[in-house]
Amino acid sequence: LSICGKLCYAIGGAPNQVAGSAAAFFLQIYLLDIAHITPFHASLVLFIGKASGAVTDPVAGFFISKSRWTKIGRLMPWMLACTPFTVVSYFFMWYLPPFVSGRVAWYLTFYCLFQALTTLFQVPYSALTMFLSTDQKERDSATAYRMTMEVLGTLIGAALQGQIVASAHVSHHCAVNPPVNTTDSWHEAPSFPDPSDPLSHQVIYMIAAGVIGGVYLLGIVILFLGVKERDDPYALNSDRAIPFCKGLGLTMKHGPYVKLTASFLLISTAVQLEQSNFVLFCTHAADLRNHFQYLVVTILVSAAVSIPFWQKFLQRFGKKCAACGISWMIPFAVMLVTVPNLILAYFVAFVSGLSIAASLLLPWSMLPDVVDNFRLQNPHGKGHETIFYSSYVFFTKMSAGIGLGISAAGLEFTGYKPGICRQSNDVILTLKILIGAVPAILILVGLFILLFYPITEESRKETKLALDVLR
């Protein structure tokens, strides 16, 4: 694979991360403080939206596995077709409708559409890794390029969104250090956007959505022009595609896949909880409301810079060993919760970026090894790649949706009130638990499951030799 081809492949996946990052960090606080819907309704939007994306995964895998080969490949037409609709749904996801009673339905509709359409892009895009090259090192290298660019995309999304919309979350009428005997007006003084102001909060969010929509279109053009999809090199003319339902049953019985998926669905849920609650935590629980956009950028710069380091690390010490780096964020996140200090917050952001980079790179680097292992055990079937990738994304999205729904419901239960200067002590405690204790438990359990993952560096080499003979 040429460096140009790897870069074009990597750039193609960045727009999804740009949009996903903006939504992960800012959608919950947007729904609560700008759209002024209740935390319970916000939890419904987040959970049902993620669930709709998760349900779309196996459906997308089913139809993609039935697709015929075209002049531009079997996967590329799906990515090209869904991109314009994804841009439109993303834009309206950040639009503040003039009516109030139907806002929940509005955001639910467009968030579900956005999640479903990004799935129709992500499933064929991630499965495309298997059709770039037959060489494991080349695929690992392409995955490293992809994850570096996706983390940069995450950085761009959070930075663009953070810098553009930061003014919407700075409450100028709130004192930095309020007196101890606060009045009720302190708690009950919401800051509503003025719809008549041309630079009101809703317009600011729409500008950010328009910019990110443009990034989407640029990314798909580069992907289409720079990447050539190759057919399955192991397949014989007599081989038949595995029926989707049968293939799904076989994947659920495949030990390495089950252990990998169970481990990283817990770890990805922990990362999602950190992302979605970090801005809320900085705004309401740590008196860092004027620094949250810079802290988010610090996390993502650290993650982007460390991807090449993790790629070298896993090549030298193995992929299971590299998974230990995911646990680095735990002690520092606990420190931030217990001692909310500005300098410590930046240090925690840097270390969290290192851990997030490892959690992003490893599952996508290990999944091709699982697919190769399955291929060796089922040598006369083809078309199983999209089944693996779609079902993996299904489980991680579903677990993340459940986690985000529960976290937003927790804020509702403890009395979160949109737009006020200071939340109650129960809300602050809930945010601390969602940032510190819950992700720590999920990561530790996920890493424990990963200890039983059976594919080692030696077995990878044996599988590669056996597949070369088969080819």
Side-chain angles (χ1 to χ4, degrees):
L1 292 176
S2 67
I3 292 177
C4 180
K6 294 176 187 176
L7 279 173
C8 290
Y9 170 65
I11 290 171
N16 244 6
Q17 303 306 314
V18 173
S21 169
F25 280 108
F26 293 97
L27 183 58
Q28 181 162 275
I29 197 170
Y30 169 82
L31 294 175
L32 294 173
D33 287 0
I34 305 300
H36 293 102
I37 67 176
T38 67
F40 174 73
H41 288 136
S43 70
L44 287 180
V45 171
L46 293 171
F47 170 69
I48 296 175
K50 284 286 186 182
S52 69
V55 170
T56 310
D57 283 299
V59 176
F62 174 78
F63 285 108
I64 293 170
S65 66
K66 298 286 185 182
S67 301
R68 294 183 178 181
W69 189 267
T70 67
K71 292 181 180 180
I72 58 173
R74 185 161 59 95
L75 304 175
M76 190 67 72
W78 286 89
M79 294 181 274
L80 289 173
C82 69
T83 298
F85 300 101
T86 306
V87 173
V88 173
S89 64
Y90 181 79
F91 181 81
F92 283 109
M93 193 173 80
W94 300 99
Y95 175 71
L96 190 67
F99 47 84
V100 177
S101 59
R103 281 184 184 174
V104 175
W106 175 277
Y107 291 114
L108 183 60
T109 299
F110 284 104
Y111 188 51
C112 288
L113 274 174
F114 173 71
Q115 288 293 333
L117 289 166
T118 53
T119 295
L120 288 176
F121 180 93
Q122 190 66 28
V123 170
Y125 174 76
S126 54
L128 187 59
T129 309
M130 301 301 299
F131 298 96
L132 295 176
S133 173
T134 59
D135 187 81
Q136 290 178 348
K137 288 185 178 179
E138 287 294 309
R139 289 201 306 251
D140 284 348
S141 176
T143 301
Y145 272 82
R146 170 194 161 191
M147 297 318 301
T148 302
M149 199 58 66
E150 287 193 355
V151 173
L152 284 173
T154 305
L155 168 63
I156 292 169
L160 273 176
Q161 190 89 354
Q163 294 302 321
I164 294 173
V165 309
S167 61
H169 299 288
V170 176
S171 300
H172 299 288
H173 69 279
C174 294
V176 176
N177 295 309
V180 176
N181 295 323
T182 51
T183 62
D184 290 338
S185 61
W186 170 267
H187 289 272
E188 303 298 336
S191 54
F192 292 92
D194 180 9
S196 63
D197 184 0
L199 292 178
S200 65
H201 302 167
Q202 55 174 322
V203 176
I204 291 172
Y205 268 97
M206 289 169 64
I207 292 171
V211 172
I212 291 176
V215 174
Y216 248 110
L217 298 175
L218 178 63
I220 191 64
V221 169
I222 294 174
L223 176 68
F224 174 70
L225 296 177
V227 175
K228 183 180 179 181
E229 184 181 341
R230 296 176 173 87
D231 202 358
D232 185 356
Y234 300 127
L236 301 174
N237 291 332
S238 59
D239 287 348
R240 292 186 177 182
I242 299 176
F244 183 81
C245 294
K246 179 182 178 182
L248 190 60
L250 290 173
T251 58
M252 293 301 103
K253 297 176 183 177
H254 192 60
Y257 177 72
V258 172
K259 293 179 177 66
L260 179 70
T261 303
S263 172
F264 278 99
L265 69 84
L266 293 174
I267 293 171
S268 65
T269 302
V271 173
Q272 284 276 345
L273 285 173
E274 290 275 357
Q275 283 184 322
S276 63
N277 291 290
F278 187 76
V279 177
L280 282 170
F281 174 80
C282 291
T283 303
H284 298 299
D287 291 328
L288 298 171
R289 66 172 66 238
N290 295 322
H291 297 272
F292 70 79
Q293 67 268 38
Y294 306 113
L295 290 168
V296 168
V297 169
T298 302
I299 291 172
L300 299 173
V301 168
S302 170
V305 170
S306 60
I307 287 282
F309 161 76
W310 287 117
Q311 176 65 13
K312 294 290 185 184
F313 188 95
L314 64 86
Q315 286 178 344
R316 182 165 184 178
F317 298 103
K319 297 178 182 180
K320 286 180 68 173
C321 185
C324 298
I326 300 171
S327 64
W328 291 357
M329 74 167 73
I330 295 176
F332 296 102
V334 173
M335 287 172 61
L336 178 63
V337 166
T338 54
V339 188
N341 176 275
L342 180 60
I343 297 175
L344 179 62
Y346 277 99
F347 187 66
V348 170
F350 174 77
V351 175
S352 296
L354 299 178
S355 296
I356 289 172
S359 71
L360 291 173
L361 176 64
L362 281 171
W364 297 112
S365 180
M366 298 166 84
L367 198 53
D369 302 335
V370 173
V371 176
D372 278 347
N373 182 272
F374 180 86
R375 175 69 180 174
L376 191 60
Q377 295 181 18
N378 300 271
H380 295 294
K382 62 179 181 179
H384 54 278
E385 295 86 0
T386 52
I387 299 173
F388 273 98
Y389 281 88
S390 63
S391 56
Y392 174 78
V393 178
F394 166 79
F395 287 118
T396 53
K397 279 188 178 179
M398 185 61 77
S399 64
I402 293 171
L404 293 177
I406 291 174
S407 71
L411 294 176
E412 166 81 11
F413 179 75
T414 52
Y416 181 92
K417 295 180 180 179
I420 67 172
C421 296
R422 178 180 290 274
Q423 300 290 339
S424 67
N425 291 332
D426 290 339
V427 172
I428 293 173
L429 177 61
T430 302
L431 288 170
K432 290 181 177 181
I433 292 173
L434 292 173
I435 285 290
V438 176
I441 293 170
L442 292 174
I443 289 172
L444 290 174
V445 175
L447 291 176
F448 177 75
I449 294 173
L450 198 62
L451 291 174
F452 302 96
Y453 176 71
I455 297 178
T456 61
E457 297 305 303
E458 291 75 16
S459 65
R460 283 180 65 221
K461 294 176 182 177
E462 293 171 0
T463 300
K464 180 181 183 301
L465 289 173
L467 287 176
D468 285 341
V469 171
L470 176 64
R471 183 177 53 174

